[in-house]
Amino acid sequence: MSDDDYCTCHWCGLDMLWADEMSKADSNKCIECEREECSHATIDREYQGSTHNRVRFIEVCLKCEANREVLLYFHNRYPDRTEWVWD
């Protein structure tokens, strides 16, 4: 393979990337850079179930496809959220 088959991210400088590792929205940015700057403003919340003291949701970002678990406890009503992860 030649170096012409690889791409370089102009944001972080990472080189030797495959074409499918580049962002579909901005061809000069890798997927990791796009995910890092995502604000996760547009989400889909999926109800997963509940028990006597909590409700569980999965939030999925519609822009970068990251997801996280949200637990809402009835006794204090403050949500407990995990970090965003990508599959």
Side-chain angles (χ1 to χ4, degrees):
M1 292 187 101
S2 68
D3 287 343
D4 295 335
D5 295 333
Y6 296 109
C7 301
T8 301
C9 177
H10 296 281
W11 289 75
C12 67
L14 193 62
D15 57 357
M16 304 288 284
L17 296 168
W18 296 102
D20 63 344
E21 295 176 303
M22 300 301 287
S23 168
K24 292 177 181 64
D26 184 355
S27 61
N28 292 322
K29 189 186 303 182
C30 68
I31 291 174
E32 293 302 318
C33 287
E34 182 178 48
R35 289 175 174 169
E36 285 296 320
E37 78 170 10
C38 185
S39 64
H40 310 300
T42 308
I43 60 169
D44 180 34
R45 187 172 292 124
E46 301 171 6
Y47 173 75
Q48 296 292 308
S50 60
T51 64
H52 68 284
N53 66 341
R54 68 151 175 85
V55 177
R56 181 175 180 253
F57 297 96
I58 298 293
E59 291 181 337
V60 179
C61 178
L62 298 177
K63 182 178 178 185
C64 71
E65 299 176 357
N67 62 68
R68 69 179 175 182
E69 180 183 57
V70 179
L71 299 174
L72 178 61
Y73 293 94
F74 298 131
H75 67 278
N76 64 7
R77 295 193 180 135
Y78 292 111
D80 182 23
R81 293 181 170 95
T82 60
E83 295 294 319
W84 291 101
V85 294
W86 295 270
D87 293 331

